[in-house]
Amino acid sequence: MPDPDDATASRIRTLVEDFEQVLFEFIRKRQINHSEYRVATDLIVDSIKTGEETLLFDVFFEAEATDVGNIGREGSPEAIEGPFYLPGAPMLTGPLHVMPQREDEKGEPLLFHGTVLGVDGEPLAGVEVDLWHADADGLYSNIHPNTPDFNLRGRFTTEDDGTFRVLSILPPPYEIPKDGPTGKVLRALGRHFFRPAHLHVKLRHPDHEEMTSQLYFKGGEYLDDDVAKGVRDGLVIALHTVEDPARIAENGLDRPYIDARYDFVLVPASAARKPT
Ligand code: MBD
Ligand code: FE
């Protein structure tokens, strides 16, 4: 077996040299002079300094890298993580989990549920589901101002039969921050700033590979015109309004809610990635 550090070093060398070459060619081809070069580096620095974190890169390139990761993947498809994930979200108690939310959280109630399975079709118990999404005003907690800490961010684990159920609110289409450097670039390109409504999720289990996904809703706006180009078949789920009083009461609600279901399939942790 070759030393993994050697393999990593060689991979880094290949990638950096290739990237260097691609940019040399681009600079020559487009006759980029020093002031244009500096505009570009300032843009990247400003996007980070102004708190956009990875927004600029994620909007333009993350979906492409995610697609590469999905090639030949046996589990459910992964999707872009985006710039606004936060580790350490509150652990919720079940079996009906309720996402951290304001007392009078705006938006239609959403019941998101499903089963987590292995590639063999066996349900997986004890999978940690880490869910985060925007509020009804399109704001992510701890990112946008005036949002409660960890609002609409929560973690919970699947039951013995692999199922999970969580109550939240239906997020609306989402407008990415447009007043900073990333917005400036998109405006110059004549693009809009919207993403279709979506839920972000990460799943973790000791014997399986961690996965990151995102779910979109059938019939929603911007599914075909996502500024981050992140929508893929198989990640767009149906929404059903539930008006049956018994089912409403069963979920501790007092008004009709929206039901959304999705089953995840995790791939086993590959031997190479298992901690030694
Ligand atoms: C988001 O919420 C998001 O999911 C992506 C990909 C980019 C910006 C904001
Ligand atoms: Fe998002």
Side-chain angles (χ1 to χ4, degrees):
M1 276 274 283
D3 184 336
D5 286 345
D6 291 350
T8 305
S10 138
R11 173 77 173 161
I12 290 172
R13 186 174 160 175
T14 304
L15 297 187
V16 173
E17 286 178 351
D18 193 18
F19 190 54
E20 196 179 25
Q21 198 57 41
V22 165
L23 286 186
F24 284 166
E25 284 164 19
F26 172 72
I27 289 166
R28 285 281 160 191
K29 176 174 143 197
R30 294 298 173 192
Q31 293 283 286
I32 304 206
N33 62 26
H34 185 266
S35 68
E36 288 176 323
Y37 165 81
R38 190 53 82 212
V39 166
T41 58
D42 283 349
L43 179 88
I44 292 166
V45 172
D46 285 349
S47 81
I48 295 160
K49 278 194 186 159
T50 57
E52 293 193 350
E53 310 267 337
T54 56
L55 179 68
L56 180 66
F57 294 92
D58 293 352
V59 162
F60 280 89
F61 304 114
E62 192 179 10
E64 202 67 25
T66 306
D67 280 347
V68 169
N70 280 331
I71 296 169
R73 193 183 147 76
E74 275 190 277
S76 26
E78 294 202 278
I80 56 180
E81 174 184 39
F84 300 148
Y85 172 69
L86 271 187
M91 285 301 305
L92 310 179
T93 49
L96 175 61
H97 307 91
V98 179
M99 287 290 272
Q101 55 191 274
R102 302 164 175 103
E103 221 157 284
D104 53 351
E105 191 69 43
K106 277 199 275 174
E108 283 180 273
L110 170 74
L111 177 69
F112 175 50
H113 63 111
T115 304
V116 183
L117 309 153
V119 287
D120 55 4
E122 285 298 309
L124 292 174
V127 176
E128 181 178 293
V129 181
D130 193 341
L131 183 69
W132 75 103
H133 64 84
D135 70 12
D137 293 324
L139 306 177
Y140 281 88
S141 62
N142 305 70
I143 301 291
H144 298 100
N146 306 319
T147 48
D149 236 23
F150 285 101
N151 205 51
L152 303 177
R153 298 176 183 272
R155 288 183 292 160
F156 47 90
T157 50
T158 55
E159 305 300 315
D160 289 345
D161 62 356
T163 62
F164 66 89
R165 284 200 299 159
V166 59
L167 273 178
S168 196
I169 57 102
L170 186 70
Y174 172 75
E175 189 174 36
I176 68 164
K178 63 180 173 192
D179 297 327
T182 305
K184 202 154 89 178
V185 178
L186 291 169
R187 205 168 284 111
L189 294 171
R191 296 189 193 166
H192 66 68
F193 309 100
F194 281 93
R195 303 209 60 224
H198 57 275
L199 302 175
H200 291 273
V201 65
K202 284 179 184 282
L203 291 97
R204 303 184 182 94
H205 184 271
D207 306 329
H208 290 77
E209 279 188 17
E210 179 171 329
M211 71 167 283
T212 302
S213 189
Q214 213 176 119
L215 299 165
Y216 307 91
F217 310 119
K218 265 188 193 143
E221 261 185 292
Y222 303 108
L223 285 173
D224 297 323
D225 193 20
D226 174 6
V227 63
K229 301 186 273 317
V231 183
R232 297 292 176 274
D233 290 348
L235 296 175
V236 185
I237 58 177
L239 297 179
H240 301 283
T241 303
V242 176
E243 291 178 342
D244 174 5
R247 286 181 66 196
I248 291 173
E250 200 178 283
N251 290 302
L253 294 169
D254 56 6
R255 56 186 168 134
Y257 66 90
I258 295 169
D259 178 288
R261 175 187 177 132
Y262 186 80
D263 293 341
F264 295 94
V265 178
L266 297 188
V267 292
S270 58
R273 287 198 215 175
K274 262 189 200 153
T276 44

